[in-house]
């Protein structure tokens, strides 16, 4: 029973390029959450999605960042025109969506912007 | 809005000694409480959670936590730690009947020494 999968595990981009991070939730989970962890800090919520819907994007930066969770395929977090400050670990979590449910976390994608 | 404070950024302890990792939260409404552990270069794993009921919650790997509503605390304890418990520990809250996103503390690095 595979857990939450994220790829790539490591991603290097130059300033101005685009970064695409992928997340496949656990089997049976239809709710996905994205979090960002800056060095030496805790995780900060970015966005919460259900299939084909954005439920809560209150933590997403207003520009350059977008997320989707299509009917088929993984959830994608997209960062356009990356800057050095985007360097961080990006974690995806999934759940069944019931109140109080555990969120199961993936191993993360470590983005480095040169 | 809610917030989580983990007062200790690092806790060094000798193997087989007891440990307590402190967590305080602030919220105008009731919350669900969680403790997660993060091993180096990995995602987060749930140790335990409090939703309602008994204020003493037992989790995996011998950890337990006690919810204290008057103190707004949810401290994590283990009576005897092992070298393998060396990791980063995060306290988190979420709101019932609403926003599912987790709000994390800044983390406590537990360093178990032989």
């Amino acid at each position: 029973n595979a857990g939450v999968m994220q790829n790539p595990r490591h991603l290097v981009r130059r300033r101005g390029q685009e970064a695409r991070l992928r997340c496949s939730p656990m089997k049976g989970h239809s709710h996905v959450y994205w979090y960002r962890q800056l060095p030496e800090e805790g995780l900060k919520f970015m966005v919460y999605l259900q299939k084909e819907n954005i439920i809560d994007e209150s933590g997403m930066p207003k520009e350059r960042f977008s997320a989707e969770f299509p009917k088929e395929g993984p959830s994608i977090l997209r960062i356009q025109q990356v800057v050095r400050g985007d360097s961080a670990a990006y974690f995806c979590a999934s759940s069944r969506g019931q109140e109080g449910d555990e969120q199961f976390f993936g191993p993360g994608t470590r983005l480095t912007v040169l | 809005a809610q917030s989580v404070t983990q007062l200790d950024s690092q806790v060094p302890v000798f193997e087989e000694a007891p440990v307590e990792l402190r967590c305080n939260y602030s919220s105008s409404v009731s919350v669900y409480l969680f403790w997660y552990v993060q091993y180096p270069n990995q995602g987060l794993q749930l140790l335990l959670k409090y939703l309602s009921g008994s204020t003493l919650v037992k989790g995996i790997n011998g950890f337990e936590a006690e919810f204290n509503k008057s103190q707004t605390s949810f401290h994590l304890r283990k009576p005897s730690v092992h070298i393998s418990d060396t990791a980063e520990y995060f306290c988190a809250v979420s709101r019932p009947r609403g926003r599912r996103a987790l709000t994390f503390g800044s983390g406590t690095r537990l360093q178990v020494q032989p």
Side-chain angles (χ1 to χ4, degrees), chain A residues 5-43:
Chain A
M5 300 178 70
Q6 290 187 250
N7 68 81
R9 293 292 306 276
H10 300 275
L11 182 61
V12 179
R13 286 287 178 265
R14 296 190 180 280
R15 281 180 297 170
Q17 291 184 321
E18 179 180 286
R20 283 191 176 227
L21 288 61
R22 294 174 183 76
C23 169
S24 296
M26 281 183 70
K27 187 177 181 181
H29 288 188
S30 59
H31 294 243
V32 165
Y33 312 78
W34 285 94
Y35 295 85
R36 176 165 64 176
Q37 184 178 33
L38 295 170
E40 307 301 322
E41 292 187 18
L43 281 74

Side-chain angles (χ1 to χ4, degrees), chain A residues 74-89:
Chain A
S75 174
I76 307 282
L77 179 67
R78 184 181 176 202
I79 312 172
Q80 295 178 292
Q81 300 174 342
V82 296
V83 301
R84 288 219 173 104
D86 296 332
S87 295

Side-chain angles (χ1 to χ4, degrees), chain B residues 56-101:
Chain B
L56 182 62
V57 180
K58 293 193 182 296
I60 62 170
N61 301 340
F63 284 94
E64 64 180 32
E66 185 155 20
F67 170 56
N68 187 319
K69 188 174 182 179
S70 62
Q71 303 282 334
T72 60
S73 68
F74 190 55
H75 300 332
L76 181 71
R77 301 186 185 99
K78 186 169 182 178
S80 175
V81 295
H82 302 288
I83 296 285
S84 59
D85 292 323
T86 294
E88 191 88 21
Y89 291 80
F90 292 99
C91 182
V93 302
S94 70
R95 280 176 54 185
R97 295 178 297 282
R99 193 163 175 265
R100 303 284 174 83

Side-chain angles (χ1 to χ4, degrees), chain B residues 8 17 27 38-40 45 70 77 96 101 106 113:
Chain B
D8 306 303
S27 176
Q38 184 181 31
Y39 298 102
Q45 180 183 8
S70 62
R77 301 186 185 99
S106 55
Q113 303 163 354

